[in-house]
Amino acid sequence: MTQGVDVVVIGGGQAGLAAGYHLRRLGLSFVILDAQATPGGAWQHTWDSLHLFSPAAHSSLPGRLMPPQPGETYPDAAHVVDYLTDYEQRYELPVVRPVRVEAVLRDGQFLRVETDSGTWRARAVTSATGTWSRPFIPAIPGRAEFEGRQLHTVEYRRASDFAGQRVVVVGDGNSGAQIAADLAHDTDLTWVTLREPRYLADDIDGRALFDAATARRRALDEGRTDTGGVASLGDIVAVPPVREARDAGLLKAQPMFDRLTAGAVAWADGTRAEADVIIWCTGFRPALAHLAPLGLRGPRGHIPTRGTEALGEPRLHLLGYGDWTGPASATLIGVGRPARDAARQIAGLLGAV
Ligand code: FAD
């Protein structure tokens, strides 16, 4: 049986919920289809010690401030899951789960959304599927020869799983720095980064990142010089565990190695670091496979957009994947504005405003 709505939102993480909040305000009929069995999107799957890099009030979706977590300036991931669970109940968002969207196809004046639990027919689609389900690991010579364990950020849970082991952490972003700091005390750690790690000043947290992204958007909107946005500040937020490990001299980064051998990572000058485990904190790609039938793919696996609207398919909006779908849109506080703009555009397209 095919069900019909104005809008299908694909993905029930923070971006999908922010989309739902604004679609509801505009009076559109919609459904949110989410592949997870329970609320919280990717926050359900992060490592145990992860804390946000902004205080609760600065990590809020539209309409409802995140309450502070008792005893924590920077809330942990479980607190975010609780907040998102409460958010979708409070606003009675129609999330259906677990439903995995397999394909979105053009069907005359509609878009057809095919899932593992039936088909929906929509006048517009907002895709908010995030990046967590598409971990990226770079091609490195010898990767298949390495006989130890290799895992990505998405599989890392806690340092005690690796106690006493020789662990190589690869990655110069926040995930790499935080996981390296987590492991620094209990493992024989080698931290490898493509570039020299760049820390934000210790008194700067995610609030400054959001402000920088906002200033950049304003500058670009007004035709002024690109401020450089978040990239101008540095890459790593010196959250307390990272700062402590760094200041204790436990976070000394090595340059990127050139190949893997059966039991080590190896540099071209002959240096080696023996390893039992390699943890790749090397980022993500947008989860867009379900949109392949629309034939919209552009460079680097992205779909070209104007704001959130897909160029070539005005009935499709992309939300929350990164700055290319709105400044800071891959953050809790940043996704509200592009979600509002997308909902308004959809309402305009459907003649609902
Ligand atoms: P997700 O949370 O991944 O939600 C997408 C949902 O879509 C999931 O439930 C998924 O199962 C579902 N889905 C995927 N494919 C399909 C499909 N085909 N059909 C149906 N459903 C599907 N942001 C901050 O604001 N503050 C921070 O401190 C912060 N720290 C971060 C730390 C780490 C390590 C990472 C990786 C990110 C961090 N972020 C932070 C960034 C960001 O807030 C998260 O990545 C966030 O989870 C992205 O939300 P989302 O809704 O776009 O995607």
Side-chain angles (χ1 to χ4, degrees):
M1 195 182 75
T2 301
Q3 306 180 56
V5 284
D6 287 334
V7 187
V8 168
V9 178
I10 308 172
Q14 64 200 37
L17 300 190
Y21 173 88
H22 284 293
L23 291 169
R24 159 124 320 145
R25 280 172 70 100
L26 292 169
L28 294 168
S29 69
F30 66 98
V31 64
I32 301 173
L33 305 178
D34 186 36
Q36 302 291 308
T38 49
W43 295 104
Q44 299 171 77
H45 306 295
T46 60
W47 60 93
D48 294 351
S49 68
L50 178 79
H51 284 250
L52 295 184
F53 48 63
S54 305
H58 292 84
S59 304
S60 300
L61 294 180
R64 163 115 178 104
L65 277 183
M66 181 186 288
Q69 183 175 14
E72 303 281 357
T73 306
Y74 299 100
D76 63 19
H79 187 70
V80 182
V81 171
D82 289 346
Y83 169 71
L84 295 178
T85 305
D86 172 71
Y87 188 92
E88 65 179 61
Q89 289 167 357
R90 181 174 292 262
Y91 293 111
E92 297 179 347
L93 297 176
V95 188
V96 187
R97 58 167 68 93
V99 177
R100 175 163 295 281
V101 173
E102 284 155 359
V104 178
L105 303 102
R106 293 189 184 87
D107 188 358
Q109 55 177 316
F110 297 103
L111 292 171
R112 199 167 76 243
V113 179
E114 294 184 347
T115 81
D116 59 5
S117 313
T119 301
W120 273 261
R121 203 180 57 177
R123 298 167 71 202
V125 165
T126 296
S127 185
T129 47
T131 59
W132 191 258
S133 60
R134 279 202 64 209
F136 171 76
I137 297 181
I140 294 279
R143 243 199 88 197
E145 287 165 37
F146 182 70
E147 290 171 357
R149 184 170 169 212
Q150 297 187 55
L151 60 157
H152 186 272
T153 312
V154 296
E155 295 159 284
Y156 176 74
R157 286 296 166 272
R158 60 192 71 83
S160 59
D161 294 344
F162 305 98
Q165 297 188 38
R166 297 164 301 180
V167 182
V168 175
V169 172
V170 185
D172 50 30
N174 283 292
S175 305
Q178 286 189 29
I179 290 176
D182 212 28
L183 291 162
H185 296 280
D186 298 329
T187 68
D188 179 357
L189 171 72
T190 303
W191 183 30
V192 175
T193 59
L194 203 53
R195 297 180 309 169
E196 186 65 26
R198 295 192 320 144
Y199 295 94
L200 277 78
D202 287 359
D203 57 345
I204 289 185
D205 63 22
R207 285 171 285 192
L209 296 179
F210 179 69
D211 290 346
T214 307
R216 179 173 194 236
R217 186 196 59 235
R218 285 215 187 98
L220 294 177
D221 285 353
E222 292 165 11
R224 291 185 278 118
T225 312
D226 189 344
T227 60
V230 171
S232 64
L233 294 175
D235 301 313
I236 299 169
V237 182
V239 291
V242 168
R243 197 182 312 160
E244 281 154 25
R246 180 199 64 192
D247 293 350
L250 298 173
L251 283 188
K252 298 240 178 343
Q254 309 292 325
M256 186 61 191
F257 48 80
D258 296 286
R259 62 174 291 110
L260 300 184
T261 67
V265 299
W267 286 263
D269 66 0
T271 317
R272 292 155 57 91
E274 307 297 323
D276 303 305
V277 183
I278 300 173
I279 304 179
W280 298 95
C281 303
T282 40
F284 300 87
R285 297 288 181 263
L288 300 174
H290 56 290
L291 301 175
L294 297 173
L296 299 167
R297 250 168 104 91
R300 292 186 293 134
H302 292 188
I303 289 178
T305 50
R306 185 187 307 105
T308 57
E309 180 193 319
L311 294 179
E313 182 46 86
R315 295 171 295 181
L316 174 67
H317 285 254
L318 292 107
L319 193 60
Y321 295 99
D323 282 356
W324 60 283
T325 54
S329 71
T331 64
L332 285 152
I333 195 170
V335 75
R337 187 180 173 126
R340 184 198 64 190
D341 294 347
R344 283 184 182 166
Q345 268 180 271
I346 290 171
L349 185 75
L350 304 189
V353 286

